[in-house]
Amino acid sequence: MRSTLTSCLVDRLRTGDLKWFCGRFQQYAFLKILRRTGRFRRSGRSTVAPLVVTPMLTYRCPSDCPMCTLKNRRPDAKGKKEMSFEAVGTLLDELRAMGTPGISYAGGEPLVREDIIDILRLTKRKGFLVSLTTNGLLLDDRKAEDILSTGLDMVWLSLDKVSEPDYDAFRGTRAGCGKAVAALRFLVEAKRRRKARTRIGISHVVEARGTGQTRAIIDLADEMGADTIALAPLHRFDDGKVSCAAPGFDAGAFRQLISDVRRRCRIGLDSTKGYLSLFERAFAGVPPPCDCLTGYTMLLIGPYGEVFPCAPYAMLDKSYGVYEPRRLAGLWGSPEFGRYRKELMACRMCYWNCHTEYNLMFR
């Protein structure tokens, strides 16, 4: 996802906002310096804001995916309420003051929120780079228009299968594939009508024996006019552990697929060469080769205020605290969070694409 971030930064530079762009370059350079001097490993403290924060607006979702445990966390009798629109606004003000440049909305399925369009519009108005991840099952032509009208930078549509039976078996839906493919068409058509700069991307989970399925997804996305596709190995969460290990991965066929895509397809491949080269290790059950720096680069906030350092910890419900309005900067810079970061650096649990790509960037 680094290439998409780069494209969004270039678009921002074209607007003439040099002050904002210089601030982001300074942030990147400082993280690089801290990494090279070993400061990360020694102290665990960070004076740099997270590069991307993911507000998980809801755990509600019409899908039942094998790589997601969030569906089991519904509002219960204890009276939990999802973060309100006003609370999201307060969070955004804190993150802007801290210097965070990117907000990536996710869930659950964020489109179940009736105020999602207002949230997207507010986030852009406050000057952030904004992305939205959706399975598209609740997206129609009108909703696509509304989403693009907010001016957000990126929409990620999750798409893993191209046949109705396979899709429904994988995602636990009914007639879900047709809805997801229609959502892609709605987004692409709305972008063309509006002449919007928003990038439309496919987020695709690769299975060990699924190279043929991945090829079909890429061909479909390329034909329909998506801008880019991001690949990630399928993660499973069992007994408090994360694993990509699975038999049957044909590394040679996968490398040929990637070569074919780069040579003949219009669609951009968002995943970097370095990240894609790790898929063989992932499916073999071999831990990642680099330190995890997610505790310095990202942060996830659950719908009930849970603070997670990364997506796998969110899936495992391993929270590092609870968000309190106007206290996030203190939590981020606290000695306690510093200890968590040092623990995370030794973590070799996952190959989650957004985390691993940043780990490789600052390696």
Side-chain angles (χ1 to χ4, degrees):
M1 299 195 173
R2 286 157 53 183
S3 61
T4 292
L5 176 61
T6 300
S7 298
C8 291
L9 289 173
V10 170
D11 286 345
R12 188 61 174 265
L13 181 60
R14 288 172 178 160
T15 67
D17 193 349
L18 293 178
K19 181 178 179 181
W20 186 95
F21 188 84
C22 289
R24 303 293 70 76
F25 179 79
Q26 183 181 37
Q27 190 176 28
Y28 167 81
F30 194 51
L31 283 169
K32 271 284 192 182
I33 292 171
L34 289 176
R35 176 63 174 144
R36 290 188 178 276
T37 59
R39 175 79 178 275
F40 280 166
R41 186 172 292 280
R42 289 198 303 270
S43 71
R45 300 291 292 276
S46 179
T47 56
V48 180
L51 298 176
V52 178
V53 170
T54 298
M56 304 164 69
L57 296 174
T58 183
Y59 291 140
R60 293 175 288 156
C61 184
S63 297
D64 187 10
C65 305
M67 60 282 194
C68 181
T69 65
L70 303 179
K71 56 187 177 291
N72 299 319
R73 296 178 220 165
R74 298 286 193 266
D76 56 24
K78 297 179 181 179
K80 291 181 180 178
K81 293 184 178 180
E82 293 172 350
M83 190 178 295
S84 67
F85 176 80
E86 291 74 20
V88 172
T90 299
L91 172 63
L92 294 175
D93 287 340
E94 290 183 77
L95 292 171
R96 183 170 59 177
M98 290 170 64
T100 291
I103 303 295
S104 178
Y105 287 110
E109 171 50 56
L111 294 189
V112 305
R113 292 275 303 235
E114 295 182 358
D115 56 358
I116 183 60
I117 302 302
D118 293 331
I119 289 174
L120 293 174
R121 190 167 284 117
L122 175 67
T123 311
K124 279 304 296 181
R125 192 161 64 239
K126 290 182 180 293
F128 292 97
L129 293 174
V130 184
S131 74
L132 171 74
T133 298
T134 174
N135 57 32
L137 301 183
L138 304 177
L139 199 153
D140 56 18
D141 190 34
R142 176 62 182 273
K143 183 68 75 172
E145 284 280 353
D146 289 344
I147 289 172
L148 293 191
S149 74
T150 67
L152 82 169
D153 301 275
M154 187 78 216
V155 179
W156 289 106
L157 179 70
S158 300
L159 187 59
D160 307 303
K161 305 288 183 179
V162 291
S163 77
E164 206 72 76
D166 289 343
Y167 185 101
D168 288 345
F170 188 72
R171 292 252 172 198
T173 58
R174 295 184 63 183
C177 185
K179 295 175 183 176
V181 173
L184 175 58
R185 183 176 69 253
F186 293 142
L187 288 167
V188 171
E189 290 176 351
K191 176 179 177 176
R192 289 171 179 165
R193 285 195 300 268
R194 301 185 65 86
K195 298 181 179 180
R197 300 194 65 88
T198 303
R199 291 168 63 81
I200 310 300
I202 299 297
S203 179
H204 174 65
V205 173
V206 178
E207 296 180 88
R209 301 181 188 272
T211 301
Q213 187 74 230
T214 298
R215 182 181 292 273
I217 291 288
I218 293 174
D219 288 343
L220 176 67
D222 189 47
E223 179 183 343
M224 293 186 67
D227 297 300
T228 188
I229 185 167
L231 308 179
L234 176 64
H235 289 67
R236 295 190 180 277
F237 300 85
D238 299 304
D239 300 323
K241 297 180 181 179
V242 184
S243 177
C244 299
F249 180 66
D250 188 334
F254 185 72
R255 285 193 293 269
Q256 185 61 52
L257 167 62
I258 299 305
S259 176
D260 290 346
V261 172
R262 295 189 187 281
R263 187 179 67 254
R264 66 176 177 81
C265 291
R266 177 204 58 81
I267 192 172
L269 192 57
D270 189 71
S271 308
T272 62
K273 291 182 179 179
Y275 177 63
L276 294 172
S277 71
L278 299 178
F279 278 42
E280 187 172 6
R281 293 175 62 106
F283 288 122
V286 179
C290 49
D291 291 339
C292 182
L293 305 178
T294 303
Y296 292 90
T297 58
M298 304 190 75
L299 195 65
L300 288 81
I301 309 292
Y304 308 125
E306 313 96 313
V307 177
F308 302 106
C310 62
Y313 270 49
M315 294 296 178
L316 296 172
D317 203 14
K318 295 177 66 173
S319 170
Y320 276 3
V322 177
Y323 165 69
E324 297 182 39
R326 301 176 182 82
R327 294 188 178 182
L328 185 60
L331 175 63
W332 178 256
S334 69
E336 183 180 16
F337 212 93
R339 289 193 294 271
Y340 293 147
R341 289 193 186 94
K342 293 179 71 173
E343 293 174 7
L344 276 175
M345 285 191 70
C347 180
R348 299 290 188 275
M349 239 186 352
C350 83
Y351 285 86
W352 212 267
N353 54 352
C354 49
H355 303 332
T356 305
E357 290 278 22
Y358 280 122
N359 294 341
L360 293 172
M361 180 190 296
F362 294 106
R363 189 176 181 181

